Amino acid sequence: MSVIARNRVRVSGVDDGRPMVFAHGFGCDQEMWRLVAPDFEVDHRVVLFDHVGSGRSDLSAYDPVKYGSLEGYAADIVEICRELALDDVVFVGHSVSAMMGVLAAASAPELFGALVMVGPNPR
């Protein structure tokens, strides 16, 4: 199964705009960005997705070994960026996804231009 289908990736906005990838926290799905993402679509390429195990992702793709650590989720983020041929990505991560973004950027720094962390601390 492709990463696009597995993670229910949706792309909107301007094709040649700087890409913004929005990642939701645990207990949420990409719909949490429904009131935020449209404001960025006017001059960015907006990418929304569901982490495996959340929202409308392919639940059969859940692997407790892979997703037993944040690195598994970070690998999915990198895979999504590569599949869409993105670079200079502005990654917006909510809650635990903020740390997934840090791990993704550390493993593939050539893909990311900026990290935005929304509530990265559970306290």
Side-chain angles (χ1 to χ4, degrees):
M1 168 171 288
S2 78
V3 66
I4 302 303
R6 181 187 70 211
N7 290 88
R8 194 179 151 234
V9 176
R10 296 187 314 162
V11 180
S12 60
V14 182
D15 285 340
D16 62 350
R18 186 175 185 190
M20 293 186 74
V21 175
F22 290 85
H24 62 83
F26 287 159
C28 303
D29 65 13
Q30 64 182 271
E31 295 304 315
M32 73 166 285
W33 301 110
R34 71 189 176 287
L35 301 177
V36 176
D39 288 337
F40 293 96
E41 292 173 346
V42 295
D43 54 5
H44 289 84
R45 186 174 184 195
V46 173
V47 178
L48 301 174
F49 70 96
D50 290 331
H51 289 296
V52 171
S54 299
R56 295 187 194 147
S57 67
D58 180 5
L59 299 180
S60 70
Y62 186 79
D63 175 354
V65 173
K66 177 179 181 178
Y67 298 112
S69 72
L70 296 183
E71 284 83 1
Y73 292 99
D76 285 355
I77 293 165
V78 169
E79 188 178 357
I80 290 167
C81 291
R82 288 194 171 133
E83 178 68 22
L84 296 175
L86 303 179
D87 62 10
D88 196 26
V89 170
V90 176
F91 179 85
V92 182
H94 169 251
S95 189
V96 70
S97 285
M99 294 313 299
M100 292 172 194
V102 169
L103 294 170
S107 71
E110 70 282 2
L111 299 177
F112 299 91
L115 298 176
V116 180
M117 300 179 187
V118 181
N121 188 328
R123 299 185 71 160

